[in-house]
Amino acid sequence: MASIVSIVTLSNILLILLLSSAAANAQLSANFYATSCPNLQTIVRNSMAQAVNRERRIGASILRLFFHDCFVNGCDASILLDDTATFTGEKNAAPNRNSARGFEVIDTIKSNVETACNATVSCADILALATRDGVVLLGGPSWQVPLGRRDARTASQSAANSQIPSPFANLATLISSFAAKGLNARDLTVLSGGHTIGLARCATFRNRIYNDTNIDPNFAATRRARCPASGGDNNLAPLDSVPSARFDNNYYRDLVAQRGLLHSDQELFNGGSQDALVRTYSNDLATFLADFAAAMVRMGNISPLTGTSGEIRRNCRVVN
Ligand code: HEM
Ligand SMILES: *[C@@H]1O[C@H](CO)[C@@H](O)[C@H](O)[C@H]1NC(C)=O
Ligand SMILES: *[C@@H]1O[C@H](CO)[C@@H](O)[C@H](O)[C@H]1NC(C)=O
């Protein structure tokens, strides 16, 4: 009898441990700063509105920063750390060097947030909120941003070089790099719709416009005019062929018309598993916007630091 009681007790303890570890995995919550920084969302939104007014592209650049942050060891603001004589971070990894931008905007928002709520809000959460607000300001969907991320004390240039997908990748490789982050092929296809806004450098699409065969010839010729076969690496072209800088579903219409700018974009509509979903999004703006918002929450949940892990950085560019 005594042993049955202790088995029951033991299994209750195990159950409690199991439940509390499940709770520890659902750590982020939209009202995390409700009492510690009640004006946070207003401060970030106003700062982003000013930044987007100054330059519309900044909404795109911040969205890309968040993607590159989340994909390398989780959404922990590691991408914001500056290189120093003794520290090598992610900013100069190949996918970020000469193209990741928006750091000054994050600095401004952080300083506005510190004025209102000193040493309380992480840079990782500021980046997550600024990303959502940038998308909304460009005409995209809104979503509630789960909060409570903390900031990394480290960064990894080698992970940034190997884990951020390449614009030269094929569909199978793209699917597996998203799978490595707990995201599926549908997430890949809907999150790639982020390319409805923003610009890319010639070096990232040259091979496609000169060598790919699954490309609209008029589109290729137009893009070649500003992206020579050699030189002009940093010349910019819009990722979406209708350069409205509006967050819409034209990116998917482009793919159906073989006007994807990056090789990786066109891989989503090239006779493979994602063709049907691309067609759906090309015809159905509302479904794209709703699916994009939901997938952004999933991307924002990649391996956050919570509880007492990491820190609340004072300056987003350096560890405390
Ligand atoms: C699927 C794999 C992806 C690949 C291979 C890829 C690749 C690229 C490349 C090569 C550029 C241009 C960079 C340069 O000029 O050097 C770019 C820009 C951009 N990417 Fe992606 N990307 C991917 C997914 C995503 C996702 C998931 C998002 C967001 C949800 C995103 C958002 C953006 C944005 C907004 C820009 C424009 C940034 C600006 O104008 O400053 N990308 N991407
Ligand atoms: C803000 O917090 C930091 C870290 O706790 C502290 O060193 C600093 O003095 C505080 N600044 C103000 C203005 O309260
Ligand atoms: C086209 O492909 C060939 C063979 O792979 C390569 O040598 C060449 O550099 C490519 N051209 C451009 C403009 O990328």
Side-chain angles (χ1 to χ4, degrees):
M1 190 63 196
S3 69
I4 290 176
V5 168
S6 65
I7 287 170
V8 169
T9 309
L10 191 69
S11 63
N12 277 337
I13 290 170
L14 284 176
L15 188 69
I16 288 165
L17 285 177
L18 213 82
L19 288 175
S20 60
S21 79
N25 274 328
Q27 321 95 334
L28 303 181
S29 93
N31 58 10
F32 187 83
Y33 299 103
T35 52
S36 60
C37 194
N39 294 329
L40 172 63
Q41 308 236 5
T42 310
I43 295 167
V44 176
R45 193 187 324 118
N46 291 344
S47 309
M48 277 303 288
Q50 280 186 13
V52 169
N53 261 344
R54 212 173 305 126
E55 187 207 24
R56 272 182 83 73
R57 185 188 176 193
I58 207 69
S61 303
I62 300 280
L63 171 61
R64 183 164 186 252
L65 272 192
F66 186 55
F67 163 51
H68 286 197
D69 184 36
C70 291
F71 261 56
V72 180
N73 306 322
C75 311
D76 59 5
S78 55
I79 195 173
L80 303 178
L81 293 171
D82 280 343
D83 283 0
T84 69
T86 54
F87 179 85
T88 302
E90 295 161 20
K91 282 186 180 172
N92 290 303
N96 295 329
R97 188 175 50 230
N98 300 327
S99 65
R101 58 197 297 283
F103 299 108
E104 296 76 12
V105 171
I106 298 300
D107 291 340
T108 303
I109 301 175
K110 173 69 170 172
S111 115
N112 293 342
V113 169
E114 292 303 281
T115 303
C117 336
N118 191 32
T120 302
V121 181
S122 67
C123 298
D125 281 340
I126 287 174
L127 182 55
L129 285 169
T131 296
R132 188 270 316 269
D133 292 341
V135 167
V136 170
L137 287 158
L138 295 184
S142 190
W143 61 92
Q144 286 231 321
V145 180
L147 299 167
R149 300 170 189 81
R150 291 165 64 85
D151 299 323
R153 294 201 177 94
T154 56
S156 174
Q157 185 171 91
S158 62
N161 278 321
S162 60
Q163 296 176 17
I164 294 171
S166 156
F168 314 119
N170 65 25
L171 180 60
T173 303
L174 293 167
I175 289 174
S176 65
S177 54
F178 273 62
K181 305 298 166 188
L183 299 173
N184 64 25
R186 295 178 70 90
D187 294 322
L188 161 69
T189 298
V190 74
L191 288 170
S192 295
H195 289 173
T196 177
I197 51 176
L199 309 174
R201 293 173 309 129
C202 164
T204 67
F205 59 83
R206 176 183 287 121
N207 193 60
R208 165 150 177 77
I209 60 177
Y210 286 91
N211 276 337
D212 278 4
T213 52
N214 60 349
I215 189 167
D216 168 358
N218 293 320
F219 172 72
T222 306
R223 288 291 171 264
R224 279 188 219 125
R226 291 191 37 80
C227 181
S230 76
D233 277 13
N234 294 325
N235 293 357
L236 295 168
L239 282 153
D240 180 318
S241 77
V242 178
S244 59
R246 215 186 140 70
F247 198 103
D248 58 20
N249 61 343
N250 191 71
Y251 168 81
Y252 298 100
R253 288 179 220 243
D254 281 340
L255 298 188
V256 170
Q258 299 197 312
R259 282 185 217 124
L261 184 64
L262 305 178
H263 179 82
S264 52
D265 290 326
Q266 198 61 58
E267 281 291 300
L268 302 176
F269 189 86
N270 192 35
S273 64
Q274 299 307 295
D275 283 22
L277 189 56
V278 167
R279 247 185 227 291
T280 299
Y281 291 149
S282 76
N283 290 321
D284 186 346
L285 175 63
T287 298
F288 163 57
L289 296 179
D291 288 1
F292 183 83
M296 284 300 292
V297 172
R298 285 193 290 278
M299 188 174 87
N301 283 340
I302 299 174
S303 309
L305 296 170
T306 57
T308 54
S309 308
E311 63 183 22
I312 304 298
R313 235 177 261 156
R314 277 194 287 276
N315 171 345
C316 293
R317 293 173 181 269
V318 291
V319 296
N320 291 345

